[in-house]
């Protein structure tokens, strides 16, 4: 009498891999002679997504693979009968997954059709795996804001030894925060999201594109109270049962490393970095924990690298870089501003211009300022307030190229001997810092070129050559803005001449200054010095003796300094007498 045979099924391999062959062996054990019309072995792979919609849910299904093997039947005599089927699996199959919103399922159904008798049917789950991978495991640095922290804005940097990990492996990295004075702690999380994306018409529920959290593993690094810019290292284990990343027709499983900060009553997500979880890293195993620097350490590395690339000098102790271009010195550093936020600042300094120059951001009070001038470049004049004794001098200094470069920075301010250019972030990214440094170097070069363009005040234009000739005679530095001669030498004494101006920009006097070279007590000068001082004052000009200089004002301002050389020589002789007696006083250095 016929009977339904027992059935056992074997898979080879036990975990089928997409893109490879998969063999199914069906072993029938018959207890009697039983006619069989045929044997079928069917492989079916489907993807089902379910997304809540109020009290119901939207459901969509897709078929990934449907393969069938049909084999002719026979009369099963008592004993064992084996049927086999070989399937070539598509290479793009996602792995089996039983998630909250996505189910990817593979089954094999084996059926022996028995006429006039219940068929022998069994269905088996197939644990389709993932194609073996050997992905790159290079370390990486990730930031919450490209370019660095903005003023007053909490900012995070995360470095990972690898963005590819395996179950039972480790996530290894470092995190650093800036502008974090209000943060009480840091949390690192490994978070899994099921991303459902379906194109469907209105009657099928419409399109779906939603990301839903389905896994979360939290880790609090030791000593995670953040300190400004300091790195907090972490290392935590990945659960051994964690599912691998995948992408299917309507869904994907995405893993991220998430950085959150703790405030008084809440957590704030700062940064999410996608990572890939693979079933196994194979014989290679985990990568060495080579974690890139973050925070202040990363900024220092960037400063050093950019200084070397662009030819600047890096000062590791001060965390700054500097260079000199002609008469101009450039210094670049990260500085704390008055509001406590950090900025990257390029300070360009030069010998004083002598023209009462000032540049600052525009404000509503500029409308009431009689000192403001326009340099003739519309966008620059709208953004900045500029002052100078004479407009011609400011326009010569701030030409179009210089103004355009200054406009590229977040803020700029300056005076007669310096200009500060800044961006409102503490730059750590090497390329952003390189761009800033390159612009600062070009600004310094333009400033150096501008120093030679400054004309003398209009009243002194016909006499400029007189000042230049006498500057050369004294071996000093000519300052066209006033004009003045700085750090000249007559005999062995340091001599300076400078034109003084009234509040309404009229030349008032020429000040002659001879440095004594030591500190003296003006009240203890010798009788000979008193006599020489009184003789000089017979010309009608008072002589001032200070602790370190002898000063005489010549009124009116001179247009040819050579003409007052006898007066300068008399002042030099007075400095000799003053130093000879006064150096013995209580201010001796």
């Amino acid at each position: 009498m016929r009977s339904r045979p027992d059935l056992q099924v074997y898979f080879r391999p036990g975990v089928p891999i997409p893109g490879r062959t998969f063999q199914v062996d069906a072993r029938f054990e018959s207890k009697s002679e039983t006619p069989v019309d045929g044997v079928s072995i069917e492989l079916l792979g489907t993807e089902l997504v379910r997304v809540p919609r109020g009290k119901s849910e939207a459901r969509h299904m897709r078929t990934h693979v449907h393969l069938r093997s049909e084999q002719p039947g026979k009369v099963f005599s008592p004993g064992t009968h084996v049927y086999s089927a070989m399937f070539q699996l598509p290479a793009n199959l996602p792995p089996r997954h039983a998630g909250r919103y996505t189910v990817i399922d593979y089954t094999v159904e084996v059926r022996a059709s028995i006429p006039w008798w219940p068929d022998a049917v069994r269905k088996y789950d197939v644990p389709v795996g993932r194609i073996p991978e050997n992905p790159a495991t290079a370390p990486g640095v990730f930031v919450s804001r490209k370019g660095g922290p903005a003023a007053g804005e909490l900012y995070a940097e995360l470095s990972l030894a690898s963005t590819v990990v395996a179950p039972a492996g480790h996530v290894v990295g470092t995190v650093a925060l800036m502008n974090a004075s209000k943060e009480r702690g840091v949390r690192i999380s490994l978070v899994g999201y099921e991303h459902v994306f379906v194109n469907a018409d209105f009657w099928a529920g419409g399109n779906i594109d939603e990301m839903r959290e389905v896994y979360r593993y939290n880790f609090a690094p030791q000593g995670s109270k953040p300190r400004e810019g300091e790195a907090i290292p972490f290392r935590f284990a990945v659960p051994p049962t964690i599912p691998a990343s995948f992408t299917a027709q309507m869904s994907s499983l995405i893993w991220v490393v998430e950085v959150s900060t703790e405030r008084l009553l809440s957590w704030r997500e700062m940064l999410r970095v996608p990572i890939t979880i693979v079933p196994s890293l194979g014989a290679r195993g985990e990568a060495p924990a080579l974690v890139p620097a973050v925070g202040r350490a990363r900024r220092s590395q960037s400063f050093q690298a950019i200084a070397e690339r662009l030819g600047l000098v890096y000062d590791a102790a001060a965390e700054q870089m500097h260079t000199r271009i002609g008469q101009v010195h450039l210094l670049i550093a990260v500085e704390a501003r008055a509001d406590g936020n950090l900025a990257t600042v390029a300070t360009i300094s030069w010998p004083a211009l002598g023209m009462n120059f000032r540049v600052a951001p525009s404000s509503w009070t500029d409308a009431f300022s009689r000192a403001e001038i326009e340099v003739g470049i519309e966008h620059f004049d709208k953004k900045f307030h500029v002052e100078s004794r004479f407009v011609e001098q400011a326009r010569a200094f701030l030409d179009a190229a210089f103004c355009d470069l200054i406009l590229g920075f977040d803020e700029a301010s300056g005076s007669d001997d310096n200009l500060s250019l800044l961006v409102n972030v503490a730059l750590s990214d090497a390329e952003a810092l390189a761009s800033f440094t390159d612009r600062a170097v070009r600004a310094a070069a333009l400033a150096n070129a501008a120093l030679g363009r400054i004309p003398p005040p209009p009243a002194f234009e016909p006499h400029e050559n007189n000042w230049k000739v006498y500057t050369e005679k004294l071996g000093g530095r000519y300052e066209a803005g006033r004009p003045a001669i700085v750090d000249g030498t007559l005999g062995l004494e340091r001599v300076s001449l400078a034109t003084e101006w009234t509040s309404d920009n009229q030349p008032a006097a020429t000040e002659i200054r001879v440095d004594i070279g030591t500190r003296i007590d003006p009240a203890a000068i010798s009788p000979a010095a008193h006599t020489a001082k009184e003789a000089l004052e017979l010309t009608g000009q008072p002589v001032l003796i200070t602790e370190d200089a002898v000063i005489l004002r010549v009124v009116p301002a001179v247009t040819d300094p050579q003409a007052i050389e006898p007066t300068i020589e008399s002042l030099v002789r007075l400095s000799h007498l003053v130093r000879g007696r006064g150096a013995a006083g209580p201010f001796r250095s």
Side-chain angles (χ1 to χ4, degrees):
M1 180 179 178
R2 69 186 65 185
S3 62
R4 186 164 55 189
D6 295 330
L7 175 60
Q8 291 181 320
V9 172
Y10 301 89
F11 298 153
R12 290 190 290 176
V15 178
I17 300 299
R20 299 182 183 177
T21 57
F22 169 48
Q23 182 171 324
V24 180
D25 295 327
R27 184 185 295 269
F28 295 93
E29 293 290 342
S30 180
K31 300 180 181 62
S32 62
E33 287 194 359
T34 302
V36 173
D37 289 341
V39 174
S40 64
I41 302 176
E42 185 174 25
L43 171 65
L44 179 64
T46 60
E47 177 182 356
L48 172 67
V49 296
R50 301 168 298 187
V51 180
R53 289 289 183 263
K55 295 182 179 180
S56 62
E57 63 180 14
R59 297 168 62 94
H60 298 273
M61 180 175 283
R62 298 285 189 275
T63 298
H64 282 282
V65 62
H66 190 185
L67 302 173
R68 182 181 176 90
S69 172
E70 295 275 2
Q71 300 184 38
K74 64 179 182 178
V75 175
F76 282 5
S77 60
T80 302
H81 303 268
V82 178
Y83 285 79
S84 298
M86 184 78 73
F87 298 114
Q88 178 65 45
L89 299 182
N92 60 348
L93 289 183
R96 189 170 183 268
H97 176 72
R100 189 178 306 172
Y101 304 100
T102 299
V103 176
I104 299 174
D105 194 32
Y106 296 92
T107 60
V108 163
E109 181 185 275
V110 179
R111 177 184 296 271
S113 299
I114 304 172
W116 305 101
W117 205 260
D119 292 344
V121 181
R122 295 287 296 273
K123 186 176 287 189
Y124 302 87
D125 292 327
V126 181
V128 172
R130 179 174 162 146
I131 298 175
E133 297 182 48
N134 189 30
T137 57
V141 176
F142 310 91
V143 298
S144 60
R145 181 181 184 274
K146 187 176 181 181
E153 180 180 312
L154 181 62
Y155 170 80
E157 289 185 356
L158 170 69
S159 68
L160 295 174
S162 174
T163 55
V164 178
V165 297
H170 293 85
V171 176
V172 182
T174 306
V175 65
L177 300 178
M178 298 179 191
N179 299 329
S181 58
K182 297 180 181 179
E183 311 311 308
R184 305 177 64 184
V186 180
R187 182 177 68 191
I188 310 298
S189 303
L190 180 60
V191 186
Y193 294 90
E194 287 184 348
H195 181 200
V196 177
F197 43 90
V198 179
N199 292 323
D201 59 29
F202 174 80
W203 303 108
N207 294 337
I208 300 173
D209 190 354
E210 298 182 13
M211 190 100 75
R212 293 176 178 261
E213 182 180 317
V214 290
Y215 303 99
R216 176 175 287 270
Y217 305 93
N218 295 326
F219 175 77
Q222 204 168 23
S224 58
K225 168 63 179 172
R227 300 173 65 178
E228 187 69 21
E230 291 194 8
I232 302 172
F234 60 86
R235 176 186 177 93
F236 66 88
V238 178
T241 58
I242 199 169
S245 308
F246 70 83
T247 299
Q249 291 184 16
M250 298 185 295
S251 62
S252 60
L253 179 61
I254 299 171
W255 289 98
V256 301
V257 173
E258 179 184 282
V259 178
S260 304
T261 62
E262 180 186 12
R263 288 198 169 177
L264 183 60
L265 299 173
S266 63
W267 287 90
R268 176 183 179 182
E269 178 191 314
M270 285 300 304
L271 184 61
R272 291 194 305 178
V273 176
I275 67 169
T276 302
I277 293 183
V278 297
S280 171
L281 291 172
R284 180 186 64 195
E286 282 193 298
L290 302 176
V291 183
V294 292
R296 292 182 61 182
R298 177 174 177 242
R299 187 166 69 234
S300 295
Q301 290 181 357
S302 294
F303 265 64
Q304 183 173 5
I306 298 308
E308 292 176 357
R309 186 197 304 179
L310 299 181
L312 282 73
V313 177
Y314 174 64
D315 184 340
E319 294 186 1
Q320 60 190 25
M321 49 184 161
H322 60 89
T323 191
R324 179 168 289 279
I325 302 174
Q327 300 181 71
V328 171
H329 181 261
L330 169 64
L331 175 70
I332 298 176
V334 172
E335 299 178 3
R337 309 191 67 188
D339 57 7
N341 296 312
L342 298 177
T344 305
V345 183
T347 303
I348 304 171
S349 55
W350 51 75
L353 303 174
M355 60 189 215
N356 279 0
F357 176 74
R358 188 172 82 89
V359 60
S362 295
S363 72
W364 65 272
T365 59
D366 295 345
F368 306 99
S369 172
R370 293 192 302 171
E372 183 179 21
I373 62 173
E374 292 187 351
V375 299
I377 298 172
E378 183 178 0
H379 294 309
F380 191 88
D381 288 328
K382 284 182 178 180
K383 187 173 181 179
F384 293 104
H385 171 92
V386 178
E387 294 179 11
S388 177
R389 185 176 293 116
F390 296 102
V391 65
E392 297 88 352
Q393 294 178 319
R395 288 176 176 173
F397 186 65
L398 295 171
D399 67 358
F402 201 3
C403 288
D404 285 345
L405 198 54
I406 293 172
L407 284 166
F409 294 86
D410 291 348
E411 293 184 26
S413 61
S415 63
D416 221 47
D417 61 1
N418 70 83
L419 177 67
S420 292
L421 306 170
L422 64 86
V423 292
N424 291 312
V425 296
L427 294 174
S428 295
D429 179 74
E431 293 312 309
L433 180 61
S435 174
F436 175 88
T437 304
D438 177 69
R439 288 184 290 132
V441 169
R442 285 189 283 129
L446 289 174
N448 182 63
L451 295 178
R453 293 197 301 265
I454 298 173
F460 285 82
E461 282 188 7
H463 313 290
E464 182 178 24
N465 190 59
N466 296 337
W467 281 83
K468 287 184 174 180
V469 168
Y470 202 65
T471 300
E472 186 174 351
K473 181 175 182 177
L474 296 184
R477 177 177 60 82
Y478 174 58
E479 187 180 290
R482 287 189 272 189
I485 301 172
V486 181
D487 295 335
T489 303
L490 188 61
L492 298 176
E493 304 305 322
R494 183 66 60 87
V495 176
S496 296
L497 288 77
T499 307
E500 295 181 350
W501 293 81
T502 65
S503 59
D504 59 349
N505 293 337
Q506 296 299 317
T510 299
E511 179 189 272
I512 308 170
R513 177 188 176 99
V514 179
D515 292 339
I516 297 173
T518 187
R519 287 169 63 86
I520 61 103
D521 180 0
I525 63 175
S526 68
H530 269 294
T531 300
K533 176 177 180 290
E534 291 170 355
L536 265 173
E537 289 178 337
L538 290 176
T539 62
Q541 309 297 340
V543 176
L544 175 65
I545 299 176
T546 69
E547 295 175 3
D548 59 0
V550 178
I551 302 169
L552 173 67
R553 294 179 74 250
V554 177
V555 180
V558 302
T559 56
D560 185 359
Q562 178 71 42
I564 60 169
E565 187 171 65
T567 303
I568 300 171
E569 291 173 342
S570 297
L571 203 63
V572 167
R573 287 192 291 272
L574 174 58
S575 73
H576 294 165
L577 295 171
V578 167
R579 183 169 56 237
R581 177 70 180 90
F587 295 96
R588 184 175 181 179
S589 59

